[in-house]
Amino acid sequence: MPTSHRWEHDLVTSLSTEPGNLDTAKSKRAVISLRGVEKHFPIREGTLQRVVGQVRAVDGVSFEIRPGETVGLVGESGCGKTTLGRCIGGLAPPTGGKIYFRLSDEDAAKLDVVEATPESERTKEHLKQVERIDTDHRIDQLSGKAWRTFRRNCQIVFQDSFSSLNPRQLVKDAVGRPLRVWNEASGRDLTERVVSLLESVGLGRQHLYRYPHQFSGGQRQRISIARALALDPEFIVLDEPTSALDVSVQAQILNLLHALQKERGLTYLFISHDLGVVRLMSDRIAVMYVGKVAEQGTAMELFEDPRHPYTEALLAANPDITSEGSEMRGLRGTLPNPAKPPEGCRFHTRCPVATPVCGWEVDDAVAWLQTNETLLTGLTDVQRRSNFDATLVFKDEASASAVGAAIQNGDVPAPMRAALETFSAEGGKVSMKFSPVEPVQLEDIGGGHLTACLLHTSQRDRI
Amino acid sequence: MTTTADITRKRATTPLVASVRDLHVHFETKAGVVHAVDGVTFEIRDGETLGLVGETGCGKSVTARSFIRLVPSPPGIYAGGQIDFWSTEARRFQEEPIDLLKVSREEMLAIRGDRIAMIFQDPGKALNPALSIRSQIAEVFFQHRSQEILEVLGPNVPRILRRAARQENTAVERLLLKMPPLRSKADKLQERVDDLVAHALTETQIANPRKIMNSYPHELSGGMKQRVLIAQALACNPDLLIADEPTTALDVTIQARILELIAELQARLETSVLYISHDLSLVKEICDRVAVMYAGRIVETGTTKQIFSNPLHPYTRGLMAAVPSANHRRGELAAIDGTVPELVDPPPSCHFHTRCPYAVEICRTADPGLVSVDDGHTVSCFAYESGDVDADLPSLGT
């Protein structure tokens, strides 16, 4: 590899610099850059296992993680946050988009230029640049030495320490394994390295020759952290590291993680569903909903001045021990199916402040009709021209007009009714057409605070 | 003869629904006898929500399960104490309470699911994946309301149908019920039960209950499953509802909705709730009174206001300080050092002394026992032995 020397150089400088100066030495690059990352899982059916659809677990996520910072990733279960963590950790190749490791700002700017150019106008020079950056930094195209550097410097701590530690391995073997794989140490030297790792996470020499089942949940999580630290990585993905722990133990682990970060200049991606924990641990936070980022900003901005109804809903639903007499408020409905995410803004089906232009579609109308016991019993056929335009065929005139009356007069969400372009219920058929809406994009509303809510972006005029 | 006015007056003085006295539950293991519940005493008053808070393994679930004797035995042993329970009837006629640990198996079967119901932690595991929602809720009615169900058939119901209404029928009988002339009556019975099931589901604000009834648990989301469990638990309008971490497996946005629902149904049905949780901030939002448990014992009880505005026990304070909040700086969470002690043959001591920053000699040799320090506020700590709240500890984490 002709370019590999730059990696080595990078590694050497990062190791030789004092931890205190680490930030300034590396601030000219991001540790991890995501550009439109997608991870779709195929849905297979039948004997031939034909692909009939895609579960869009992660559907176009872009953000950067800078050296020394902690980026929090929050969302409900099933929103794709763990899948994204696995993609970043190199455990699951993304099906679309690019993940770069140690991408310099200079190269990032070059990529921006290329991406801004329409595909037909891209020159050979452009393509050459992209190819060079990809082979050097894009994690699913790294090879040889570059790939090994990435693996060394990117470690993961998993949620469930029961299943992430091999029950048949002694602590010494589990924590020492990365060192042996990399031929970093052996024999007595290895034992001493493991002891010092254990000591750095609050365990000690007496724990060397024990099995995972002999430890409590908090201690097992400490072992996992020690293992992640073994190769002195730059970046650690923390996938719900404390969600299986009690509060008093959680506090111990969070304090430990912070102390380690300060001591070793680590960069964290902190994945959690617990807003209190994320707020405490993160510098910047991305809120995910059904595979997309809904809002992104500093921890302060997000908690003090949320600019997306979903973030507001999460905050309102989160019980807070310090608040006086606040009411918890939940969200109606359930998380949409990620195999067929809603049109427009993905949150519109549950949003308390939804507008007619938020992406109402035929499925929303059908979902609403399904909550009624009798309305859809006479349905015989659905002629769907697009997600916004369909005709429901009923077996008789009466059931069609009942559905028509329900949609026009029932307690349908008002913005949904307002979004109807044409609607008719005649001759045993109900036709509806909603105005088509483009997917909502993240938009910067000042100082790196991004939101995907129409109410807060320049799209506001459309309402 | 008691009048309505009498009953109202009694409610004003909040009579008890249940009273747990010095409960001991042990488990026999190879390592020795584990004292999972080691002398627990608390009361649940009529119509209130009592929060039982504690960390994993402190014995809160075992305490709750003791109410309806669901602790597996062996290895579990009810080693002492009593759980007195007053049903609405018992209270109305001022009868003596029944000791839930002493009643016969048949009496327990009649109480369980009817007078005392339970919502379990993981709705995914609490529902039988092989049975439809309809049959799982119908079971409650067959078990406890067979007489009412039979009323639709008028007097002189054949024995085979009476047995069917109690789900005691054999395979042959089930076959007979599918044939005329019994079929029409059996269908009528089923219709009546379906109505009851649909009504129970409607109570929990499930849209389209008739459709949900015919589905299986895997077709429902976690929040829906928990609603089904709530419908099942409240089907017979119980006097006491035990909710064992009902929202731990759910997302916060769903959790808030489920808690709203429980609170609303509780207010309407005038049910008392024993709410078990490890989440202090949640308990603060929904409970009237709180009992904090540690290593098999209650360390502090009081109204929610007393506990949260003036926590006394070092453990209660430690727990509260450990919950991340906006006031904390990163890396400065007040963690409680150490881990929960082994509960195998524990010595007579304050169980918290191994982790307590204020432990003195006496804490290692004797159990302080619960001492009342304020109206309804009790604490188990030698620092307050004189009953003096002002005998204060230096505040934790400073």
Side-chain angles (χ1 to χ4, degrees):
Chain A
M1 292 278 302
T3 48
S4 61
H5 67 276
R6 293 196 302 110
W7 286 103
E8 276 182 308
H9 173 72
D10 215 2
L11 186 67
V12 170
T13 44
S14 70
L15 288 179
S16 59
T17 338
E18 291 286 305
N21 301 335
L22 219 59
D23 288 0
T24 45
K26 290 190 205 164
S27 60
K28 288 279 184 276
R29 61 172 172 80
V31 179
I32 294 284
S33 317
L34 307 179
R35 284 172 175 254
V37 173
E38 290 175 0
K39 178 71 186 175
H40 295 182
F41 294 99
I43 309 170
R44 294 175 191 277
E45 237 170 50
T47 357
L48 294 174
Q49 294 288 289
R50 269 184 321 121
V51 176
V52 294
Q54 301 279 341
V55 173
R56 301 172 173 198
V58 179
D59 204 17
V61 172
S62 307
F63 61 79
E64 271 188 349
I65 302 172
R66 310 291 300 186
E69 76 172 350
T70 304
V71 172
L73 199 55
V74 254
E76 291 176 281
S77 50
C79 73
K81 54 189 192 303
T82 293
T83 306
L84 184 60
R86 290 175 62 89
C87 288
I88 294 174
L91 296 182
T95 48
K98 296 167 180 179
I99 304 174
Y100 294 100
F101 177 63
R102 286 184 175 167
L103 185 68
S104 68
D105 290 351
E106 201 180 316
D107 284 346
K110 281 180 192 161
L111 282 174
D112 283 339
V113 170
V114 175
E115 275 168 23
T117 332
E119 204 138 329
S120 52
E121 291 169 29
R122 285 179 198 172
T123 59
K124 262 208 180 110
E125 183 62 27
H126 281 151
L127 296 178
K128 229 173 172 179
Q129 270 178 3
V130 172
E131 201 186 313
R132 178 189 60 79
I133 296 171
D134 278 3
T135 43
D136 285 359
H137 301 278
R138 189 172 153 184
I139 62 167
D140 51 345
Q141 290 190 358
L142 295 178
S143 56
K145 210 162 191 170
W147 172 246
R148 287 203 297 278
T149 318
F150 166 69
R151 294 292 279 205
R152 267 196 85 121
N153 279 288
C154 176
Q155 300 288 332
I156 303 190
V157 174
F158 297 94
Q159 171 175 11
D160 184 0
S161 54
F162 273 92
S163 49
S164 62
L165 288 171
N166 187 337
R168 310 208 316 183
Q169 269 184 354
L170 292 167
V171 168
K172 174 180 173 254
D173 298 327
V175 176
R177 186 155 173 89
L179 296 170
R180 299 224 340 218
V181 168
W182 285 83
N183 283 326
E184 289 255 323
S186 62
R188 184 164 299 159
D189 184 30
L190 178 76
T191 314
E192 289 313 308
R193 292 275 297 267
V194 171
V195 169
S196 76
L197 281 167
L198 288 177
E199 278 166 357
S200 69
V201 296
L203 299 171
R205 193 178 292 274
Q206 70 275 25
H207 299 111
L208 271 180
Y209 297 98
R210 291 195 199 165
Y211 288 100
H213 73 265
Q214 292 170 291
F215 293 93
S216 67
Q219 285 176 317
R220 265 200 304 269
Q221 205 56 283
R222 285 172 192 268
I223 296 169
S224 299
I225 294 171
R227 180 176 60 179
L229 291 175
L231 292 168
D232 203 15
E234 179 181 3
F235 171 65
I236 300 183
V237 177
L238 302 162
D239 186 1
E240 309 235 16
T242 60
S243 67
L245 306 176
D246 282 316
V247 272
S248 67
V249 183
Q250 166 176 290
Q252 294 172 5
I253 297 291
L254 294 180
N255 285 347
L256 170 70
L257 286 171
H258 178 66
L260 289 170
Q261 182 173 36
K262 258 180 34 189
E263 188 185 304
R264 298 172 176 238
L266 292 166
T267 307
Y268 289 147
L269 174 69
F270 198 99
I271 303 172
S272 179
H273 65 273
D274 187 327
L275 286 166
V277 173
V278 168
R279 175 182 205 173
L280 180 76
M281 295 300 288
S282 313
D283 303 309
R284 289 192 301 128
I285 296 173
V287 181
M288 269 184 91
Y289 187 74
V290 202
K292 273 187 185 296
V293 173
E295 190 175 358
Q296 188 180 320
T298 63
M300 186 75 167
E301 282 167 348
L302 237 72
F303 279 84
E304 303 298 333
D305 182 26
R307 292 298 186 89
H308 196 287
Y310 181 62
T311 316
E312 284 172 28
L314 278 181
L315 290 173
N318 197 42
D320 185 355
I321 198 165
T322 50
S323 68
E324 283 298 327
S326 69
E327 278 277 304
M328 283 188 288
R329 273 177 293 121
L331 276 178
R332 65 198 147 109
T334 49
L335 208 68
N337 179 4
K340 190 179 173 315
E343 292 284 341
C345 170
R346 294 191 168 182
F347 186 54
H348 78 261
T349 53
R350 302 169 78 191
C351 183
V353 293
T355 69
V357 293
C358 285
W360 297 94
E361 56 182 312
V362 176
D363 284 356
D364 298 328
V366 173
W368 181 80
L369 290 170
Q370 271 173 347
T371 61
N372 191 296
E373 267 176 53
T374 50
L375 283 178
L376 284 184
T377 43
L379 186 71
T380 53
D381 191 20
V382 179
Q383 296 156 0
R384 180 190 279 269
R385 286 173 291 279
S386 77
N387 282 343
F388 299 102
D389 187 6
T391 302
L392 311 180
V393 183
F394 289 87
K395 65 173 185 251
D396 51 36
E397 180 83 46
S399 34
S401 52
V403 168
I407 289 194
Q408 276 168 329
N409 308 316
D411 57 345
V412 180
M416 179 161 105
R417 192 178 294 136
L420 275 171
E421 232 168 41
T422 59
F423 182 78
S424 68
E426 282 160 356
K429 288 181 179 177
V430 175
S431 303
M432 56 181 99
K433 186 163 186 286
F434 291 92
S435 15
V437 169
E438 289 294 308
V440 181
Q441 301 298 337
L442 268 180
E443 193 177 306
D444 196 331
I445 51 168
H449 190 168
L450 276 66
T451 179
C453 181
L454 290 178
L455 290 170
H456 296 287
T457 62
S458 57
Q459 303 282 319
R460 209 191 142 84
D461 310 337
R462 275 168 56 195
I463 297 157
Chain B
M1 183 78 192
T2 35
T3 61
T4 332
D6 285 348
I7 294 167
T8 331
R9 197 174 311 137
K10 261 200 281 172
R11 187 160 289 141
T13 58
T14 49
L16 301 181
V17 169
S19 158
V20 182
R21 308 227 157 275
D22 198 29
L23 177 69
H24 289 260
V25 184
H26 296 171
F27 288 92
E28 277 188 343
T29 63
K30 277 182 193 157
V33 178
V34 175
H35 294 233
V37 177
D38 197 20
V40 160
T41 302
F42 64 88
E43 289 163 349
I44 307 171
R45 295 178 196 155
D46 189 21
E48 78 171 354
T49 303
L50 174 72
L52 192 57
V53 208
E55 292 180 285
T56 318
C58 73
K60 54 190 193 301
S61 283
V62 174
T63 306
R65 280 161 185 254
S66 304
F67 275 79
I68 43 178
R69 292 227 301 261
L70 280 185
V71 177
S73 172
I77 306 162
Y78 295 103
Q82 59 190 67
I83 303 177
D84 289 335
F85 173 69
W86 289 263
S87 64
T88 319
E89 290 77 35
R91 237 175 303 131
R92 183 172 303 150
F93 301 114
Q94 300 190 324
E95 281 172 19
E96 286 298 302
I98 42 173
D99 183 353
L100 293 172
L101 295 183
K102 299 238 163 56
V103 295
S104 66
R105 187 176 166 272
E106 285 69 31
E107 286 174 284
M108 195 65 212
L109 282 178
I111 293 171
R112 198 185 282 156
D114 184 14
R115 297 296 88 218
I116 303 178
M118 188 153 176
I119 306 174
F120 293 92
Q121 177 171 1
D122 189 346
K125 285 183 192 150
L127 288 170
N128 186 336
L131 295 178
S132 68
I133 301 300
R134 176 213 305 267
S135 51
Q136 298 195 48
I137 298 182
E139 202 184 329
V140 184
F141 293 111
F142 283 128
Q143 189 76 36
H144 299 292
R145 294 285 180 268
S146 56
Q147 286 304 324
E148 283 171 34
I149 298 168
L150 284 171
E151 276 169 19
V152 287
L153 298 180
N156 303 327
V157 184
R159 187 159 161 271
I160 180 170
L161 280 166
R162 287 207 304 267
R163 285 167 61 80
R166 289 197 299 269
Q167 279 191 325
E168 287 170 355
N169 45 359
T170 59
V172 179
E173 287 176 344
R174 276 197 287 276
L175 208 65
L176 279 174
L177 287 173
K178 281 183 186 153
M179 288 183 256
L182 286 173
R183 192 168 72 186
S184 65
K185 289 195 169 173
D187 285 351
K188 227 173 171 181
L189 204 66
Q190 188 61 50
E191 249 171 57
R192 168 82 182 125
V193 175
D194 283 355
D195 286 344
L196 286 172
V197 172
H199 178 73
L201 286 172
T202 317
E203 290 274 290
T204 59
Q205 296 162 11
I206 287 181
N208 206 349
R210 296 272 171 184
K211 187 175 158 228
I212 300 295
M213 266 164 65
N214 293 324
S215 47
Y216 286 83
H218 74 268
E219 298 173 68
L220 306 179
S221 67
M224 280 290 239
K225 276 188 264 197
Q226 198 55 278
R227 278 169 199 266
V228 169
L229 277 181
I230 292 171
Q232 203 179 33
L234 296 176
C236 290
N237 193 358
D239 295 317
L240 175 63
L241 174 69
I242 299 169
D244 188 357
E245 309 222 13
T247 59
T248 308
L250 305 176
D251 284 314
V252 276
T253 56
I254 311 288
Q255 163 176 289
R257 297 278 288 190
I258 294 288
L259 293 175
E260 271 168 35
L261 174 69
I262 295 179
E264 189 213 306
L265 288 172
Q266 179 195 7
R268 189 140 53 84
L269 306 174
E270 295 178 351
T271 307
S272 311
V273 177
L274 174 62
Y275 192 93
I276 297 161
S277 180
H278 67 274
D279 190 338
L280 277 169
S281 29
L282 204 64
V283 163
K284 187 186 177 205
E285 303 272 352
I286 58 171
C287 295
D288 303 316
R289 287 198 310 128
V290 179
V292 183
M293 233 178 136
Y294 181 76
R297 287 194 190 137
I298 302 277
V299 295
E300 189 167 359
T301 64
T303 63
T304 308
K305 192 153 183 283
Q306 284 168 339
I307 295 281
F308 283 90
S309 58
N310 185 22
L312 295 176
H313 199 279
Y315 177 65
T316 318
R317 291 186 182 187
L319 264 190
M320 285 183 199
V323 178
S325 76
N327 306 339
H328 281 106
R329 290 246 301 280
R330 208 177 296 172
E332 291 178 6
L333 278 179
I336 306 174
D337 286 336
T339 49
V340 181
E342 292 274 334
L343 295 175
V344 179
D345 301 314
S349 64
C350 170
H351 283 177
F352 190 57
H353 80 261
T354 50
R355 300 171 79 185
C356 182
Y358 314 108
V360 288
E361 198 44 47
I362 189 168
C363 302
R364 294 181 183 90
T365 51
D367 170 24
L370 279 171
V371 181
S372 178
V373 286
D374 195 1
D375 183 28
H377 194 170
T378 60
V379 60
S380 165
C381 181
F382 284 111
Y384 309 101
E385 210 181 13
S386 52
D388 181 10
V389 197
D390 300 324
D392 208 2
L393 306 159
S395 84
L396 277 180
T398 51

